Amino acid sequence: MKDGTDIHAMMSDIGARARAAAAELAYAPPERKTQALEAAADALWTRRAEIVEANAKDLEFGRDKGLSDAMMDRLMLDETRIAAIRDSLRAIAAQADPVGQVIAEWEQPSGLHIQRVRTPLGVVGVIYESRPNVTADAGALCLKSGNAVILRGGSESFHSSAAIHECLVEGLCGAGLPEDAVQRVPTRDRAAVSEMLGMTDTIDVIVPRGGKGLVGLVQREARVPVFAHLEGIVHIYIDASADPAKALEVVLNAKTRRTGICGAAECLLIHRDAVDTIGQGVIHALIDAGVEVRADETLQAISGTHAAVEDDWGREFLDTIIAARVVEDEDAAIAHIRQYGSDHTDCILAEDQAAIDRFVERVDSAIVMVNASTQFADGGEFGMGAEIGIATGKMHARGPVGAEQLTSFKYVVRADGAVRS
Amino acid sequence: MKDGTDIHAMMSDIGARARAAAAELAYAPPERKTQALEAAADALWTRRAEIVEANAKDLEFGRDKGLSDAMMDRLMLDETRIAAIRDSLRAIAAQADPVGQVIAEWEQPSGLHIQRVRTPLGVVGVIYESRPNVTADAGALCLKSGNAVILRGGSESFHSSAAIHECLVEGLCGAGLPEDAVQRVPTRDRAAVSEMLGMTDTIDVIVPRGGKGLVGLVQREARVPVFAHLEGIVHIYIDASADPAKALEVVLNAKTRRTGICGAAECLLIHRDAVDTIGQGVIHALIDAGVEVRADETLQAISGTHAAVEDDWGREFLDTIIAARVVEDEDAAIAHIRQYGSDHTDCILAEDQAAIDRFVERVDSAIVMVNASTQFADGGEFGMGAEIGIATGKMHARGPVGAEQLTSFKYVVRADGAVRS
């Protein structure tokens, strides 16, 4: 499996089987998909001891490889986490089936009755890193939306993903659905990733979930369309009109509730007129909460801050660190976000309606927040159910990518022998 | 302008200017865009003599190049055609502005008020061939949808496109909008096309409109996302349950009304049980209407038909020619369409509801027609106004691509200091 030819042949075969499964899955009855997902959830729970055992192999591999504690924690599965994965599968099973939904419907004077009907995309390739739960979530969301999926997890979670994948296949088989609907790339060889990025004949879209290394590889090599998932370089702008109490609460929550998620705040932009009235208090509170504040020249005057370096702007810390800078006015804040942001989630704290409107209009991020914690950037919090991730590109999907965002549509045009004059 | 370095520098400059214009255009007031389009329409009419003069140069170039009569006709502009282009600009001016439309809106128990708001895509690159009217239509649709556009027309329509482009720029300037919002690539060098396909930093999506040569180039080289516009290899399947009178009328219209458009029928699939009852009559009628019928072995028995060769299946004739074959049953028709179709428009003629449902469910073309002429495959006929073309891919846009399909969306989340627990 280590030479290119074999990987190419293996991936071509996986692609062809996915394409065939997708054709069948596209018109699978909704109740069969639900049944498959429920059975997969049951299997996951029944086989939890096996899964923990498989995970132990991954943890050992990770230790040998010298993974960080944070990485090891992401990788680890125990009964509680397996129960959470099971519950997520059940929640996706219970979601409405998007395929076949009539999105719009109208009549034309020519006698045409036109419907815009949701359809699956076809074959989705998901490339991800260490979290083994993505195997279940991504597999289930693709199945719910009628897509065949090719899952390529990170080498660290190799055995855990395999064990979870077996449960999904068990669900498919029990429901009479093609087992090739959810395939897993059975090799750690990274050549498989490059192969996937070029499989334009068999993969319709790639969803890459991972750090800078993966994103760079995808940007260089992808020939298949991609739902870009860039970093969450999340900014909060405190306007001169912001409410001090709200600002304090929102900033603290946005930075400290969980620092490792993509909606965590990474940079604070403070209007010059709000520095003394609000900024000082917010920065002191952050420092008291254990956050390292990397401040620009002006804010360095506040005791306990550290000097920011150029590299701190536009950086995703995913840690108890935040960059902070003073801006002359709102437009300077917007310009900073344009220059350093990643179009993921950005927020304004303000009471002045004109300032809010200007920010909402001019900041073109997937999610623009007003007086709300950026930690809400999440499909579940949006009421959309489970998500594969937050898309930062503008093509097709944007923001939280759930089952609905994994669909396309077609026009169904009915008439009674209508001809065009 | 003939060496690669200059083209690269020129295109980089065009890209950077488009990106800057797009940032400004994204929040341009709707009435300014309308004003710009109306002024462009007026300018087009005022300058019609200049345009005809420019067109004369293109026609001369075309004659020297030995273009076919059909190509020369596509290229030709006279007062009538200029009036049609002017009217199309006015119609786009009168359309609703999609930018800022709230597509969906809901509340979450956490106190979030969430809106999904339409936004421009950013910078659109349009690569097209000889028809000069595309310069006006594509430019206007991109402007209406708040996108900056880079237009790269075919070398045949070089001077005509330049003259039309000047009218669009006059409209922009009069309305106080950035003139870089609608740019034209001022060279015939094809290296500019390759450049555009790789401008991932400045172009958000490429809309290629053209024949196999262009489509192949785009498939090989594009790094920028593409709204694929493949050929219209349009099939009509006559089911055993089809109504003979409707079948006759629809097939004749679908093939002969206009043979050069992408919605023209190119292949007839006839259920074995309908050959004698309907097929014979339809084929005779086509032959009587001057259509060359390239038939499979069975249908060759009908006098006046020609023998089809393998290459005739899946071929876009764009002429008074149609391929025709007998299929054993509906599934064989669906399988033929899957194998030879281009996911553009395909049609079933049937009265049996189960047969209709099966076809609609299993044929995954952008447009699936039931008992209607495929010549209706057109944004105008769908009530969507002008279109850049019919997208045959499944990502983002599908079917007729009008102003609305040239938009993305963002989530605007408002609260009153909400934090995530």
Side-chain angles (χ1 to χ4, degrees), chain B residues 243-280:
Chain B
D243 176 274
K246 286 182 214 165
L248 192 74
E249 240 193 314
V250 168
V251 172
L252 270 180
N253 185 268
K255 178 70 254 181
T256 65
R257 178 185 159 273
R258 282 183 66 188
T259 56
I261 66 172
C262 61
E266 305 291 12
C267 182
L268 206 53
L269 302 168
I270 306 175
H271 191 289
R272 178 162 296 287
D273 297 345
V275 173
D276 293 336
T277 51
I278 310 177
Q280 299 242 14

mmCIF file of all heavy atoms in Angstrom, chain B residues 243-280:
data_model
loop_
_atom_site.group_PDB
_atom_site.id
_atom_site.type_symbol
_atom_site.label_atom_id
_atom_site.label_comp_id
_atom_site.label_asym_id
_atom_site.label_seq_id
_atom_site.Cartn_x
_atom_site.Cartn_y
_atom_site.Cartn_z
ATOM 1 N N ASP B 243 -48.912 10.031 -24.498
ATOM 2 C CA ASP B 243 -50.051 10.394 -25.346
ATOM 3 C C ASP B 243 -49.509 10.710 -26.747
ATOM 4 O O ASP B 243 -48.625 11.573 -26.894
ATOM 5 C CB ASP B 243 -50.744 11.615 -24.749
ATOM 6 C CG ASP B 243 -51.869 12.119 -25.623
ATOM 7 O OD1 ASP B 243 -51.602 12.920 -26.550
ATOM 8 O OD2 ASP B 243 -53.014 11.698 -25.384
ATOM 9 N N PRO B 244 -50.022 10.024 -27.780
ATOM 10 C CA PRO B 244 -49.438 10.186 -29.129
ATOM 11 C C PRO B 244 -49.464 11.623 -29.637
ATOM 12 O O PRO B 244 -48.469 12.108 -30.190
ATOM 13 C CB PRO B 244 -50.322 9.287 -30.005
ATOM 14 C CG PRO B 244 -50.916 8.292 -29.065
ATOM 15 C CD PRO B 244 -51.075 9.004 -27.760
ATOM 16 N N ALA B 245 -50.568 12.326 -29.447
ATOM 17 C CA ALA B 245 -50.691 13.688 -29.986
ATOM 18 C C ALA B 245 -49.718 14.635 -29.290
ATOM 19 O O ALA B 245 -48.993 15.407 -29.929
ATOM 20 C CB ALA B 245 -52.132 14.191 -29.834
ATOM 21 N N LYS B 246 -49.655 14.559 -27.948
ATOM 22 C CA LYS B 246 -48.718 15.397 -27.200
ATOM 23 C C LYS B 246 -47.282 15.067 -27.578
ATOM 24 O O LYS B 246 -46.442 15.964 -27.743
ATOM 25 C CB LYS B 246 -48.883 15.174 -25.696
ATOM 26 C CG LYS B 246 -50.121 15.781 -25.086
ATOM 27 C CD LYS B 246 -50.113 15.523 -23.561
ATOM 28 C CE LYS B 246 -51.511 15.333 -23.043
ATOM 29 N NZ LYS B 246 -51.538 14.743 -21.697
ATOM 30 N N ALA B 247 -47.003 13.773 -27.716
ATOM 31 C CA ALA B 247 -45.633 13.356 -28.038
ATOM 32 C C ALA B 247 -45.192 13.977 -29.356
ATOM 33 O O ALA B 247 -44.081 14.523 -29.477
ATOM 34 C CB ALA B 247 -45.541 11.833 -28.100
ATOM 35 N N LEU B 248 -46.068 13.914 -30.327
ATOM 36 C CA LEU B 248 -45.752 14.449 -31.648
ATOM 37 C C LEU B 248 -45.435 15.939 -31.568
ATOM 38 O O LEU B 248 -44.407 16.411 -32.067
ATOM 39 C CB LEU B 248 -46.949 14.216 -32.583
ATOM 40 C CG LEU B 248 -46.702 14.440 -34.065
ATOM 41 C CD1 LEU B 248 -45.874 13.288 -34.624
ATOM 42 C CD2 LEU B 248 -48.028 14.528 -34.833
ATOM 43 N N GLU B 249 -46.309 16.657 -30.905
ATOM 44 C CA GLU B 249 -46.151 18.112 -30.820
ATOM 45 C C GLU B 249 -44.903 18.513 -30.037
ATOM 46 O O GLU B 249 -44.150 19.395 -30.439
ATOM 47 C CB GLU B 249 -47.395 18.701 -30.141
ATOM 48 C CG GLU B 249 -48.135 19.688 -31.023
ATOM 49 C CD GLU B 249 -49.147 20.469 -30.203
ATOM 50 O OE1 GLU B 249 -49.883 19.837 -29.414
ATOM 51 O OE2 GLU B 249 -49.189 21.708 -30.350
ATOM 52 N N VAL B 250 -44.711 17.844 -28.906
ATOM 53 C CA VAL B 250 -43.585 18.208 -28.037
ATOM 54 C C VAL B 250 -42.250 17.877 -28.719
ATOM 55 O O VAL B 250 -41.327 18.700 -28.726
ATOM 56 C CB VAL B 250 -43.691 17.516 -26.660
ATOM 57 C CG1 VAL B 250 -42.384 17.656 -25.878
ATOM 58 C CG2 VAL B 250 -44.850 18.100 -25.863
ATOM 59 N N VAL B 251 -42.135 16.693 -29.298
ATOM 60 C CA VAL B 251 -40.860 16.310 -29.926
ATOM 61 C C VAL B 251 -40.534 17.253 -31.080
ATOM 62 O O VAL B 251 -39.394 17.722 -31.212
ATOM 63 C CB VAL B 251 -40.886 14.839 -30.398
ATOM 64 C CG1 VAL B 251 -39.643 14.529 -31.217
ATOM 65 C CG2 VAL B 251 -40.981 13.895 -29.206
ATOM 66 N N LEU B 252 -41.528 17.545 -31.900
ATOM 67 C CA LEU B 252 -41.284 18.449 -33.034
ATOM 68 C C LEU B 252 -40.812 19.814 -32.557
ATOM 69 O O LEU B 252 -39.845 20.376 -33.077
ATOM 70 C CB LEU B 252 -42.560 18.622 -33.862
ATOM 71 C CG LEU B 252 -42.756 17.614 -34.992
ATOM 72 C CD1 LEU B 252 -44.062 17.921 -35.717
ATOM 73 C CD2 LEU B 252 -41.583 17.672 -35.990
ATOM 74 N N ASN B 253 -41.491 20.340 -31.545
ATOM 75 C CA ASN B 253 -41.103 21.649 -31.007
ATOM 76 C C ASN B 253 -39.708 21.594 -30.398
ATOM 77 O O ASN B 253 -38.870 22.477 -30.629
ATOM 78 C CB ASN B 253 -42.136 22.094 -29.965
ATOM 79 C CG ASN B 253 -41.887 23.496 -29.433
ATOM 80 O OD1 ASN B 253 -41.220 23.659 -28.424
ATOM 81 N ND2 ASN B 253 -42.387 24.517 -30.138
ATOM 82 N N ALA B 254 -39.462 20.539 -29.629
ATOM 83 C CA ALA B 254 -38.183 20.427 -28.908
ATOM 84 C C ALA B 254 -37.012 20.318 -29.884
ATOM 85 O O ALA B 254 -35.914 20.803 -29.605
ATOM 86 C CB ALA B 254 -38.210 19.211 -27.983
ATOM 87 N N LYS B 255 -37.243 19.678 -31.036
ATOM 88 C CA LYS B 255 -36.142 19.553 -32.001
ATOM 89 C C LYS B 255 -36.054 20.722 -32.969
ATOM 90 O O LYS B 255 -34.958 21.199 -33.261
ATOM 91 C CB LYS B 255 -36.293 18.253 -32.797
ATOM 92 C CG LYS B 255 -35.232 18.025 -33.882
ATOM 93 C CD LYS B 255 -33.840 17.723 -33.335
ATOM 94 C CE LYS B 255 -32.832 18.818 -33.433
ATOM 95 N NZ LYS B 255 -31.491 18.466 -32.917
ATOM 96 N N THR B 256 -37.209 21.195 -33.460
ATOM 97 C CA THR B 256 -37.140 22.068 -34.642
ATOM 98 C C THR B 256 -37.368 23.560 -34.391
ATOM 99 O O THR B 256 -37.032 24.371 -35.250
ATOM 100 C CB THR B 256 -38.160 21.633 -35.722
ATOM 101 O OG1 THR B 256 -39.483 21.819 -35.204
ATOM 102 C CG2 THR B 256 -37.971 20.174 -36.109
ATOM 103 N N ARG B 257 -37.949 23.936 -33.243
ATOM 104 C CA ARG B 257 -38.251 25.364 -33.036
ATOM 105 C C ARG B 257 -36.992 26.207 -33.261
ATOM 106 O O ARG B 257 -36.978 27.142 -34.052
ATOM 107 C CB ARG B 257 -38.803 25.589 -31.634
ATOM 108 C CG ARG B 257 -39.097 27.057 -31.351
ATOM 109 C CD ARG B 257 -39.543 27.280 -29.906
ATOM 110 N NE ARG B 257 -39.320 28.676 -29.574
ATOM 111 C CZ ARG B 257 -38.174 29.158 -29.116
ATOM 112 N NH1 ARG B 257 -37.149 28.345 -28.927
ATOM 113 N NH2 ARG B 257 -38.037 30.457 -28.862
ATOM 114 N N ARG B 258 -35.933 25.888 -32.511
ATOM 115 C CA ARG B 258 -34.619 26.454 -32.812
ATOM 116 C C ARG B 258 -33.617 25.345 -32.541
ATOM 117 O O ARG B 258 -33.602 24.770 -31.448
ATOM 118 C CB ARG B 258 -34.303 27.675 -31.920
ATOM 119 C CG ARG B 258 -35.013 28.942 -32.376
ATOM 120 C CD ARG B 258 -34.629 30.132 -31.514
ATOM 121 N NE ARG B 258 -33.216 30.486 -31.661
ATOM 122 C CZ ARG B 258 -32.610 31.399 -30.889
ATOM 123 N NH1 ARG B 258 -33.281 32.029 -29.940
ATOM 124 N NH2 ARG B 258 -31.334 31.668 -31.058
ATOM 125 N N THR B 259 -32.797 25.051 -33.507
ATOM 126 C CA THR B 259 -31.895 23.904 -33.332
ATOM 127 C C THR B 259 -30.577 24.292 -32.670
ATOM 128 O O THR B 259 -29.849 23.444 -32.195
ATOM 129 C CB THR B 259 -31.563 23.245 -34.689
ATOM 130 O OG1 THR B 259 -31.012 24.247 -35.547
ATOM 131 C CG2 THR B 259 -32.799 22.650 -35.325
ATOM 132 N N GLY B 260 -30.291 25.593 -32.623
ATOM 133 C CA GLY B 260 -28.977 26.020 -32.142
ATOM 134 C C GLY B 260 -28.911 26.362 -30.667
ATOM 135 O O GLY B 260 -27.877 26.827 -30.194
ATOM 136 N N ILE B 261 -29.984 26.154 -29.920
ATOM 137 C CA ILE B 261 -29.957 26.497 -28.493
ATOM 138 C C ILE B 261 -29.711 25.246 -27.649
ATOM 139 O O ILE B 261 -29.960 24.123 -28.091
ATOM 140 C CB ILE B 261 -31.248 27.223 -28.046
ATOM 141 C CG1 ILE B 261 -32.465 26.297 -28.133
ATOM 142 C CG2 ILE B 261 -31.480 28.477 -28.864
ATOM 143 C CD1 ILE B 261 -33.725 26.901 -27.520
ATOM 144 N N CYS B 262 -29.250 25.472 -26.425
ATOM 145 C CA CYS B 262 -28.827 24.323 -25.613
ATOM 146 C C CYS B 262 -29.997 23.470 -25.160
ATOM 147 O O CYS B 262 -29.814 22.318 -24.776
ATOM 148 C CB CYS B 262 -27.976 24.768 -24.431
ATOM 149 S SG CYS B 262 -28.830 25.883 -23.300
ATOM 150 N N GLY B 263 -31.225 23.983 -25.219
ATOM 151 C CA GLY B 263 -32.383 23.186 -24.833
ATOM 152 C C GLY B 263 -32.985 22.386 -25.983
ATOM 153 O O GLY B 263 -33.999 21.698 -25.800
ATOM 154 N N ALA B 264 -32.385 22.455 -27.165
ATOM 155 C CA ALA B 264 -32.897 21.688 -28.313
ATOM 156 C C ALA B 264 -32.663 20.200 -28.088
ATOM 157 O O ALA B 264 -31.594 19.792 -27.633
ATOM 158 C CB ALA B 264 -32.209 22.142 -29.591
ATOM 159 N N ALA B 265 -33.666 19.385 -28.411
ATOM 160 C CA ALA B 265 -33.548 17.932 -28.230
ATOM 161 C C ALA B 265 -32.505 17.362 -29.181
ATOM 162 O O ALA B 265 -32.412 17.770 -30.341
ATOM 163 C CB ALA B 265 -34.902 17.266 -28.459
ATOM 164 N N GLU B 266 -31.707 16.426 -28.685
ATOM 165 C CA GLU B 266 -30.654 15.827 -29.494
ATOM 166 C C GLU B 266 -30.798 14.316 -29.612
ATOM 167 O O GLU B 266 -30.174 13.698 -30.471
ATOM 168 C CB GLU B 266 -29.266 16.146 -28.898
ATOM 169 C CG GLU B 266 -28.972 17.636 -28.683
ATOM 170 C CD GLU B 266 -28.814 18.425 -29.981
ATOM 171 O OE1 GLU B 266 -29.148 17.912 -31.057
ATOM 172 O OE2 GLU B 266 -28.355 19.595 -29.904
ATOM 173 N N CYS B 267 -31.616 13.716 -28.743
ATOM 174 C CA CYS B 267 -31.740 12.258 -28.761
ATOM 175 C C CYS B 267 -33.113 11.823 -28.281
ATOM 176 O O CYS B 267 -33.599 12.301 -27.250
ATOM 177 C CB CYS B 267 -30.655 11.624 -27.884
ATOM 178 S SG CYS B 267 -30.715 9.820 -27.893
ATOM 179 N N LEU B 268 -33.686 10.918 -29.041
ATOM 180 C CA LEU B 268 -35.018 10.399 -28.762
ATOM 181 C C LEU B 268 -34.879 8.955 -28.293
ATOM 182 O O LEU B 268 -34.239 8.149 -28.964
ATOM 183 C CB LEU B 268 -35.812 10.446 -30.074
ATOM 184 C CG LEU B 268 -37.315 10.544 -30.075
ATOM 185 C CD1 LEU B 268 -37.797 11.712 -29.216
ATOM 186 C CD2 LEU B 268 -37.798 10.718 -31.522
ATOM 187 N N LEU B 269 -35.482 8.629 -27.145
ATOM 188 C CA LEU B 269 -35.459 7.260 -26.638
ATOM 189 C C LEU B 269 -36.907 6.780 -26.622
ATOM 190 O O LEU B 269 -37.759 7.404 -25.979
ATOM 191 C CB LEU B 269 -34.872 7.234 -25.225
ATOM 192 C CG LEU B 269 -33.455 7.806 -25.090
ATOM 193 C CD1 LEU B 269 -33.074 7.997 -23.624
ATOM 194 C CD2 LEU B 269 -32.448 6.900 -25.810
ATOM 195 N N ILE B 270 -37.172 5.698 -27.333
ATOM 196 C CA ILE B 270 -38.562 5.272 -27.485
ATOM 197 C C ILE B 270 -38.757 3.893 -26.858
ATOM 198 O O ILE B 270 -38.031 2.945 -27.163
ATOM 199 C CB ILE B 270 -38.956 5.226 -28.981
ATOM 200 C CG1 ILE B 270 -38.642 6.586 -29.638
ATOM 201 C CG2 ILE B 270 -40.428 4.873 -29.150
ATOM 202 C CD1 ILE B 270 -38.876 6.603 -31.145
ATOM 203 N N HIS B 271 -39.716 3.796 -25.949
ATOM 204 C CA HIS B 271 -40.046 2.514 -25.310
ATOM 205 C C HIS B 271 -40.469 1.530 -26.402
ATOM 206 O O HIS B 271 -41.212 1.887 -27.305
ATOM 207 C CB HIS B 271 -41.181 2.725 -24.313
ATOM 208 C CG HIS B 271 -41.432 1.540 -23.415
ATOM 209 N ND1 HIS B 271 -41.998 0.368 -23.870
ATOM 210 C CD2 HIS B 271 -41.177 1.350 -22.100
ATOM 211 C CE1 HIS B 271 -42.081 -0.498 -22.858
ATOM 212 N NE2 HIS B 271 -41.585 0.090 -21.770
ATOM 213 N N ARG B 272 -39.990 0.277 -26.258
ATOM 214 C CA ARG B 272 -40.282 -0.750 -27.273
ATOM 215 C C ARG B 272 -41.764 -0.803 -27.607
ATOM 216 O O ARG B 272 -42.145 -0.904 -28.784
ATOM 217 C CB ARG B 272 -39.785 -2.114 -26.757
ATOM 218 C CG ARG B 272 -40.064 -3.272 -27.688
ATOM 219 C CD ARG B 272 -39.227 -4.497 -27.395
ATOM 220 N NE ARG B 272 -37.789 -4.275 -27.587
ATOM 221 C CZ ARG B 272 -37.189 -4.158 -28.784
ATOM 222 N NH1 ARG B 272 -37.904 -4.213 -29.908
ATOM 223 N NH2 ARG B 272 -35.897 -3.959 -28.860
ATOM 224 N N ASP B 273 -42.618 -0.692 -26.588
ATOM 225 C CA ASP B 273 -44.059 -0.831 -26.814
ATOM 226 C C ASP B 273 -44.674 0.407 -27.464
ATOM 227 O O ASP B 273 -45.850 0.395 -27.825
ATOM 228 C CB ASP B 273 -44.795 -1.106 -25.489
ATOM 229 C CG ASP B 273 -44.352 -2.428 -24.882
ATOM 230 O OD1 ASP B 273 -43.727 -3.234 -25.602
ATOM 231 O OD2 ASP B 273 -44.609 -2.631 -23.674
ATOM 232 N N ALA B 274 -43.906 1.481 -27.584
ATOM 233 C CA ALA B 274 -44.452 2.712 -28.171
ATOM 234 C C ALA B 274 -43.945 2.929 -29.587
ATOM 235 O O ALA B 274 -44.317 3.904 -30.243
ATOM 236 C CB ALA B 274 -44.104 3.916 -27.300
ATOM 237 N N VAL B 275 -43.095 2.018 -30.071
ATOM 238 C CA VAL B 275 -42.491 2.231 -31.392
ATOM 239 C C VAL B 275 -43.569 2.306 -32.468
ATOM 240 O O VAL B 275 -43.634 3.267 -33.244
ATOM 241 C CB VAL B 275 -41.473 1.116 -31.730
ATOM 242 C CG1 VAL B 275 -40.999 1.258 -33.177
ATOM 243 C CG2 VAL B 275 -40.287 1.178 -30.776
ATOM 244 N N ASP B 276 -44.449 1.305 -32.483
ATOM 245 C CA ASP B 276 -45.452 1.278 -33.549
ATOM 246 C C ASP B 276 -46.561 2.290 -33.325
ATOM 247 O O ASP B 276 -47.044 2.921 -34.267
ATOM 248 C CB ASP B 276 -46.038 -0.139 -33.664
ATOM 249 C CG ASP B 276 -44.981 -1.123 -34.169
ATOM 250 O OD1 ASP B 276 -44.017 -0.659 -34.831
ATOM 251 O OD2 ASP B 276 -45.096 -2.322 -33.883
ATOM 252 N N THR B 277 -46.943 2.447 -32.066
ATOM 253 C CA THR B 277 -48.078 3.327 -31.779
ATOM 254 C C THR B 277 -47.727 4.814 -31.871
ATOM 255 O O THR B 277 -48.537 5.632 -32.277
ATOM 256 C CB THR B 277 -48.603 3.051 -30.350
ATOM 257 O OG1 THR B 277 -47.479 3.095 -29.462
ATOM 258 C CG2 THR B 277 -49.270 1.693 -30.275
ATOM 259 N N ILE B 278 -46.527 5.173 -31.447
ATOM 260 C CA ILE B 278 -46.168 6.602 -31.399
ATOM 261 C C ILE B 278 -44.887 6.890 -32.180
ATOM 262 O O ILE B 278 -44.809 7.847 -32.944
ATOM 263 C CB ILE B 278 -45.960 7.079 -29.935
ATOM 264 C CG1 ILE B 278 -47.147 6.649 -29.060
ATOM 265 C CG2 ILE B 278 -45.759 8.588 -29.889
ATOM 266 C CD1 ILE B 278 -46.996 7.003 -27.592
ATOM 267 N N GLY B 279 -43.900 6.036 -31.977
ATOM 268 C CA GLY B 279 -42.562 6.298 -32.513
ATOM 269 C C GLY B 279 -42.544 6.524 -34.014
ATOM 270 O O GLY B 279 -41.935 7.497 -34.500
ATOM 271 N N GLN B 280 -43.205 5.650 -34.743
ATOM 272 C CA GLN B 280 -43.225 5.764 -36.212
ATOM 273 C C GLN B 280 -43.727 7.132 -36.646
ATOM 274 O O GLN B 280 -43.125 7.796 -37.494
ATOM 275 C CB GLN B 280 -44.156 4.692 -36.797
ATOM 276 C CG GLN B 280 -43.721 3.282 -36.477
ATOM 277 C CD GLN B 280 -43.395 2.486 -37.735
ATOM 278 O OE1 GLN B 280 -43.256 3.059 -38.815
ATOM 279 N NE2 GLN B 280 -43.245 1.183 -37.575
#
